[in-house]
Amino acid sequence: MKSILLIAVLSAVAQFFMPWWIIAPIAFGVCFWQSESAGKAFLEGTASVTLVWTAYTVFLNIQNGGVLATRMGELLLKQPNSPGLMLTLAPFIGGLVGGIAGLAGFYVRQAFMPRFKL
Amino acid sequence: MRIFRALFVTLLTGALVWALNRPWGPAPAFGPFLSPFTGFWQNADNAAGLTSGSEIDVEGTTQPVTVNYDEYGVPHIFAQNDADAYFSQGYVTARDRLWQMEFQTHAAAGRLTELVGERALETDRFNRRMGMGFGAERAAEMMLADPTSKMVVEAYTAGINAYIKSLKSGQYPVEYKLMGYAPEPWTPIKCAYLLKLMTSTLAMGADDLRMTNIMRKYGPGVVADLFPDYPTLESPIVPAGTKWDFKALPIPATAIDAAMQKQLALRTAPSFDAGLVQRDAAIGSNNWAVGPDKSSTGYPILASDPHLTLSLPSIWYQIQLVTPTMNVCGVSLPGSPGVVIGFNQKVAWGVTNVGADVLDFYTIKFKDAKQSAYWHDNQWKPTTARIERYKVKGKPDVVDTVRYTHHGPVVYSTGQKPLRSNIPTGHAARWIAHEPANDLRCFYLLNRATNYADYRKALSHYVAPAQNFVFASVDKDIAISPNGKYPLKWKNQGKFILDGSLAAHDWQGWIPADQNPIVKNPPRGFVSSANQFLTDKTYPYYLGWQFAPSERGRRINERLTTMTNATPDSLRNLQNDNLNLRAVDALPTMLSLVQAQSLRPDQLAALEVIKKWSRRNDPDEMGPTIFTMWNEKLMEGIWKDEFDGGDTLPMRLPSFDRTLALLQRDPSARWFDDVKTPARESANDILTSSLKAACDSLTRAHGPMSPTWAWGLHKSTDVRHLIPGLDALSAMDVLSGGGSSVVNATTARTGPSWRMVVALGPNPKGYGVYPGGQSGNPGSPGYQNLLEAWRTGQLNELVYLKSANEKHSKLTYSITLK
């Protein structure tokens, strides 16, 4: 829970200034430092980024009335009138990156610093 | 094992990030594109629109500038000096249309390969080989040599750049994100490129090659008969009988002589079609002004609706510019400073395309394969080489050399090269777009014009694309002038390909600007244009042998002749006139010749629909669908057997005007015979078979005759995004009436790109609409919020403010640039 919050807050702030992929090193670092198991690391990485991306996309989409998400769904996925697809796809992609990066962070700690404990 | 696993997953993370951070084919890089922090979500503008003002810190203005926005998103710029106004115009236009401005100038400059790679190479090559860059460079030079236009264009450029500099990549317009590139700094030459783009859209029509092929195949008799130099039905822009109050220059002697004809006959058919398009009859425009005696207000009322290929982001950008030297309101072209069509306190003006013949092709005889010299006026003259370097996305640069003669660049098809290895020949293009020009100066002066004299002075600076400038003033003057820089030619010079080695075939100078056709306050009480012939046959100079079909012009003149007590709404109503005058002209003849007894019941039913049809191209009528298809099949049926030489011998069909006269006067003419059948067909046969073919074709497309044949559905007007194929960013199937050769000239892809009506008077009132919106952002509610009003033929009030503090119910928010 703590990791999810940490990744979410850190990545949300960082993404305002840095490229989107900053989510990967942040998830990696936090899971390296905090996670207790591989499964939890993956879950924490995924959940936190998905949470941030979902919250922000939903906010932007609501104030836009869904205009652009609808157009992009049609453009990229050839699905007319389904803004929901983009609202699902974007957080999924972000979450996937966060999850795998988190997992990598945990495994690296296990491999190189098995006794690391805060 | 653990180390291996750790490394593997870390590498996997890296690979995933890498894969998501780069584009795959035409698909954007998904990571940055889908991220809500940098991706398209950032372009999802607030649906409620901007309502609160702000101060924007920019460097470049000398005094604070107030920009009041109205509910349509139109900026009203109040600046304390001209430079600040143009700076602000650049800034706010870029704020709404940055991607479009840059993309259009990239296209004009032949630089699309940088964005989309090799598939744009032929388009780019064509634009560059036609000399767009050459022309733009000369125009930019002239623009910057004049202190006023230099100030205008440099301030405008600085404004655009100030906006670009303020952007982080997440704020780039969504098209940049889709295609994966970034805006580059604006430069003055881009303004010139934009004007060249208009010239290429409106003044690149050339039938020289097709007419030459017809001359070769059928000889001068048939050319004179089927491709006459003046139509049967016409109502010219300058009313017939108007006197010319100038002493004309001597007209050069016709240089088509026997030797020329012989040479023409011997020459192998040139086949450089190099993307040259036949003039598109649908790209035209209407404008007119009624004088004080015809209007209900006692002052002139002016209307203007330029027809172009409808596109998104919208072609036009509405704006009001107020400084101590002007208060002008109307539409601008994103990428060009000032107002192109609009009004101020004293005058209003609008434009339609002239379509004079200002592009000619010359056969060039090179000395040898090096192409460094060509034969002209009995001597070898050196060519100059212009190197064109294409940066191709994902590929090495392509380098191309274009040879320039004194005529212009040599444009020739690559397919032609291997055929002529010993004496390479090609064709040089002599094109008005290559002339040094400072067209901005014309609009600068028009924006500040106060009377007829100012209008004349402004027009003298205008070069291309030649436009019919309609004018009305609060002094109760109305006028129209088909205006531009016209070459001085012998009659029919450039109707056929010219001989580049003969000095007599050169353009012979220029028609003096003050001898351009013009009419002021004609007795009929109105002036108008719809791209038709400019004058009657008494005008001393040759400007072209063909102009747009006469129907729109004749219909407008017919209605304006009978109009009294005109209000802005009567003119709006005329802009939306759906009467199909071609059908009115032709149907009595067509219906009398068609053989009903040989039609099937379903074809008879279609004939009945035509007979009962109101002759109006209203969206729910089936008549226009059947008539238009019948007309098309009829033209093909009569002419294609003789005049369709395919790619090997490009020819064109005679006009509809000539065809109708032939049907009426000579229904047994040999042209009605289909030379591909043993039988001898007559006009009756061809009218019948073409109606059958039309019904078959419509049945194939829409099923048996039913309301699915309705004109609006069949025509299916689309307003498409500038990037081909992006239906998701386009407005598809916009249900509307009108059509080609109808005053409401809305066709499948073209139509009124702006409709404006201005009532002159002590307090001028303007109305206008275009099919789109002020915002170029597909994620903005302002992207196409004007479309519905346009579709239904409504106009919005053009908010015209007198001062920055003026209260107006339609104002929403304001910004200050300082």
Side-chain angles (χ1 to χ4, degrees):
Chain A
M1 198 58 213
K2 192 169 147 203
S3 311
I4 295 180
L5 215 65
L6 256 173
I7 300 173
V9 170
L10 283 176
S11 77
V13 173
Q15 284 180 88
F16 277 105
F17 309 100
M18 301 175 87
W20 72 280
W21 49 255
I22 196 69
I23 54 176
I26 288 174
F28 183 98
V30 171
C31 291
F32 177 99
W33 172 33
Q34 292 280 335
S35 292
E36 290 158 15
S37 71
K40 280 188 176 170
F42 183 78
L43 199 78
E44 285 157 358
T46 306
S48 54
V49 178
T50 306
L51 183 78
V52 172
W53 279 32
T54 302
Y56 199 21
T57 49
V58 165
F59 167 75
L60 291 170
N61 186 61
I62 287 175
Q63 55 108 40
N64 179 239
V67 176
L68 195 55
T70 308
R71 290 192 191 275
M72 289 301 144
E74 192 182 338
L75 182 68
L76 296 178
L77 308 171
K78 308 292 167 224
Q79 297 298 316
N81 303 317
S82 17
L85 281 178
M86 291 319 261
L87 285 167
T88 318
L89 180 68
F92 172 78
I93 296 278
L96 188 68
V97 172
I100 293 181
L103 186 65
F106 176 76
Y107 279 158
V108 167
R109 188 188 81 199
Q110 259 199 342
F112 296 101
M113 305 173 72
R115 262 166 265 286
F116 175 88
K117 198 87 194 147
L118 200 67
Chain B
M1 187 59 213
R2 282 186 168 181
I3 291 181
F4 175 74
R5 191 174 65 188
L7 283 176
F8 175 76
V9 179
T10 306
L11 279 175
L12 184 67
T13 310
L16 186 65
V17 167
W18 173 80
L20 287 169
N21 205 39
R22 55 156 294 179
W24 293 90
F30 273 92
F33 190 72
L34 293 178
S35 159
F37 294 87
T38 60
F40 75 85
W41 303 100
Q42 284 293 314
N43 304 90
D45 284 357
N46 194 328
L50 285 170
T51 46
S52 59
S54 61
E55 275 191 8
I56 300 181
D57 251 329
V58 288
E59 222 161 282
T61 53
T62 53
Q63 307 278 330
V65 177
T66 304
V67 186
N68 294 329
Y69 280 88
D70 67 31
E71 64 180 39
Y72 308 112
V74 179
H76 302 266
I77 294 174
F78 291 84
Q80 289 164 47
N81 60 67
D82 286 349
D84 282 356
Y86 292 112
F87 177 93
S88 309
Q89 184 182 9
Y91 187 91
V92 299
T93 309
R95 195 165 173 248
D96 278 326
R97 303 288 187 88
L98 176 61
W99 176 80
Q100 172 194 15
M101 298 162 81
E102 192 181 81
F103 183 78
Q104 289 180 324
T105 51
H106 270 54
R111 290 181 55 197
L112 293 180
T113 49
E114 294 171 30
L115 315 182
V116 300
E118 209 166 18
R119 66 200 157 103
L121 188 58
E122 279 318 303
T123 313
D124 281 353
R125 201 195 290 270
F126 174 67
N127 276 324
R128 294 211 202 178
R129 294 200 66 110
M130 277 300 292
M132 294 281 280
F134 175 70
E137 284 164 18
R138 293 178 102 176
E141 221 170 85
M142 195 157 160
M143 222 154 60
L144 295 173
D146 173 84
T148 311
S149 45
K150 182 177 156 77
M151 173 276 287
V152 173
V153 77
E154 285 183 345
Y156 186 73
T157 299
I160 299 169
N161 286 334
Y163 179 71
I164 295 175
K165 233 165 75 182
S166 75
L167 293 181
K168 287 186 291 184
S169 60
Q171 297 167 305
Y172 291 163
V174 73
E175 289 92 342
Y176 287 107
K177 299 178 184 175
L178 270 171
M179 295 164 78
Y181 70 111
E184 65 180 23
W186 190 266
T187 50
I189 197 175
K190 286 172 182 264
C191 299
Y193 268 118
L194 195 88
L195 295 167
K196 293 300 160 195
L197 190 67
M198 281 322 252
T199 307
S200 80
T201 305
L202 296 172
M204 209 196 250
D207 275 341
D208 312 23
L209 167 67
R210 297 180 180 92
M211 290 309 300
T212 303
N213 287 338
I214 292 169
M215 177 69 106
R216 285 182 63 251
K217 188 158 182 195
Y218 292 106
V222 166
V223 167
D225 179 24
L226 297 183
F227 301 91
D229 298 328
Y230 207 82
T232 315
L233 296 170
E234 188 51 283
S235 175
I237 295 170
V238 174
T242 304
K243 295 278 169 275
W244 309 111
D245 60 350
F246 56 80
K247 192 173 174 313
L249 301 179
I251 309 299
T254 299
I256 295 182
D257 52 17
M260 157 76 184
Q261 292 299 344
K262 203 168 129 205
Q263 203 187 1
L264 202 64
L266 286 174
R267 192 177 295 146
T268 43
S271 60
F272 66 106
D273 55 348
L276 271 184
V277 288
Q278 201 164 349
R279 54 185 76 221
D280 183 347
I283 299 209
S285 308
N286 308 319
N287 63 20
W288 60 81
V290 295
D293 298 336
K294 273 195 176 287
S295 86
S296 61
T297 59
Y299 288 94
I301 310 177
L302 175 141
S304 181
D305 59 299
H307 314 155
L308 290 164
T309 299
L310 301 178
S311 53
L312 287 167
S314 298
I315 297 164
W316 300 100
Y317 185 73
Q318 267 179 251
I319 199 157
Q320 181 182 3
L321 296 168
V322 190
T323 73
T325 72
M326 67 173 161
N327 182 353
V328 65
C329 179
V331 281
S332 62
L333 288 167
S336 180
V339 169
V340 177
I341 297 174
F343 64 98
N344 60 32
Q345 279 135 323
K346 302 282 185 188
V347 309
W349 75 97
V351 296
T352 67
N353 194 36
V354 168
D357 188 8
V358 288
L359 167 60
D360 288 330
F361 284 94
Y362 290 85
T363 306
I364 297 300
K365 186 173 151 194
F366 286 116
K367 189 172 183 182
D368 51 37
K370 283 189 296 191
Q371 303 190 355
S372 52
Y374 67 107
W375 189 248
H376 180 257
D377 203 13
N378 294 315
Q379 53 184 306
W380 293 111
K381 294 187 175 174
T383 59
T384 51
R386 183 183 163 95
I387 309 294
E388 299 285 2
R389 177 178 285 273
Y390 304 82
K391 291 181 189 154
V392 185
K393 187 180 179 185
K395 292 264 167 71
D397 290 3
V398 173
V399 180
D400 191 21
T401 306
V402 190
R403 296 281 164 182
Y404 277 69
T405 66
H406 76 289
H407 301 292
V410 176
V411 190
Y412 59 91
S413 78
T414 44
Q416 211 174 357
K417 271 189 210 162
L419 290 172
R420 310 191 176 191
S421 47
N422 54 343
I423 307 170
T425 63
H427 295 85
R430 180 80 169 101
W431 188 24
I432 195 67
H434 302 146
E435 281 304 305
N438 188 3
D439 300 313
L440 280 185
R441 179 99 188 139
C442 166
F443 294 109
Y444 177 89
L445 292 173
L446 270 179
N447 289 185
R448 293 165 175 77
T450 59
N451 56 34
Y452 177 77
D454 290 349
Y455 155 77
R456 288 299 310 259
K457 183 158 173 267
L459 260 53
S460 68
H461 291 278
Y462 188 77
V463 173
Q467 298 290 303
N468 299 300
F469 284 85
V470 69
F471 169 85
S473 76
V474 70
D475 306 333
K476 305 189 180 182
D477 285 328
I478 56 170
I480 194 161
S481 178
N483 182 69
K485 192 169 181 179
Y486 301 120
L488 185 62
K489 293 178 167 188
W490 25 274
K491 186 170 161 61
N492 282 346
Q493 182 178 358
K495 186 171 180 175
F496 310 99
I497 285 177
L498 295 163
D499 189 331
S501 66
L502 297 177
H505 280 210
D506 286 7
W507 284 4
Q508 308 283 319
W510 304 98
I511 297 174
D514 59 0
Q515 299 190 6
N516 281 347
I518 188 162
V519 63
K520 180 190 178 193
N521 300 331
R524 67 183 184 182
F526 68 87
V527 292
S528 80
S529 76
N531 320 98
Q532 74 269 45
F533 267 77
L534 312 183
T535 66
D536 62 10
K537 293 176 191 171
T538 64
Y539 184 65
Y541 301 110
Y542 173 75
L543 293 170
W545 67 277
Q546 59 170 349
F547 288 85
S550 67
E551 290 94 351
R552 276 185 292 121
R554 283 165 44 227
R555 175 62 179 163
I556 290 165
N557 290 349
E558 183 182 288
R559 281 199 59 183
L560 288 176
T561 303
T562 57
M563 197 178 277
T564 51
N565 275 319
T567 62
D569 205 53
S570 357
L571 301 199
R572 178 193 68 80
N573 188 280
L574 176 51
Q575 287 178 330
N576 289 286
D577 186 291
N578 277 343
L579 187 87
N580 190 328
L581 196 57
R582 178 167 291 190
V584 174
D585 291 341
L587 275 177
T589 308
M590 288 167 74
L591 292 172
S592 73
L593 289 169
V594 72
Q595 292 161 318
Q597 67 276 14
S598 69
L599 297 177
R600 289 197 314 253
D602 61 316
Q603 295 157 347
L604 271 175
L607 189 64
E608 276 314 299
V609 169
I610 291 256
K611 283 183 180 162
K612 293 199 186 111
W613 169 39
S614 65
R615 311 293 192 257
R616 304 180 66 82
N617 277 20
D618 293 334
D620 49 351
E621 291 260 20
M622 293 193 287
T625 309
I626 303 168
F627 173 74
T628 303
M629 190 59 84
W630 187 10
N631 192 359
E632 198 180 295
K633 298 287 178 195
L634 177 67
M635 291 295 282
E636 288 174 6
I638 299 173
W639 300 117
K640 268 206 156 171
D641 52 336
E642 285 99 355
F643 290 94
D644 184 4
D647 289 340
T648 48
L649 192 68
M651 291 189 283
R652 50 157 292 177
L653 312 188
S655 68
F656 184 77
D657 176 85
R658 183 67 194 96
T659 309
L660 181 58
L662 195 71
L663 280 167
Q664 288 167 338
R665 293 174 201 165
D666 193 4
S668 59
R670 68 154 160 139
W671 304 110
F672 296 119
D673 180 35
D674 185 347
V675 297
K676 289 170 181 157
T677 63
R680 162 126 194 169
E681 286 84 4
S682 65
N684 300 81
D685 296 316
I686 220 151
L687 270 154
T688 313
S689 61
S690 55
L691 179 59
K692 290 177 179 171
C695 291
D696 288 350
S697 169
L698 288 171
T699 307
R700 267 197 307 278
H702 309 301
M705 191 167 73
S706 73
T708 55
W709 286 29
W711 178 235
L713 297 174
H714 170 74
K715 174 165 69 94
S716 181
T717 298
D718 295 336
V719 185
R720 296 200 168 179
H721 191 274
L722 284 174
I723 303 174
L726 293 194
D727 291 5
L729 307 187
S730 308
M732 307 298 281
D733 308 323
V734 181
L735 193 69
S736 58
S740 128
S741 78
V742 174
V743 177
N744 173 14
T746 311
T747 70
R749 299 282 174 279
T750 66
S753 58
W754 163 240
R755 288 194 187 109
M756 178 183 84
V757 174
V758 179
L760 280 295
N763 291 304
K765 294 283 273 179
Y767 307 85
V769 77
Y770 61 77
Q774 286 286 96
S775 172
N777 176 9
S780 162
Y783 184 59
Q784 53 182 65
N785 58 339
L786 306 176
L787 184 65
E788 185 58 14
W790 175 87
R791 185 186 76 81
T792 52
Q794 305 306 306
L795 299 176
N796 298 318
E797 180 197 341
L798 304 179
V799 175
Y800 185 63
L801 303 173
K802 292 201 176 61
S803 73
N805 307 323
E806 185 179 331
K807 296 272 177 281
H808 194 290
S809 62
K810 288 188 188 298
L811 291 181
T812 51
Y813 75 104
S814 70
I815 59 174
T816 307
L817 299 177
K818 56 195 226 176

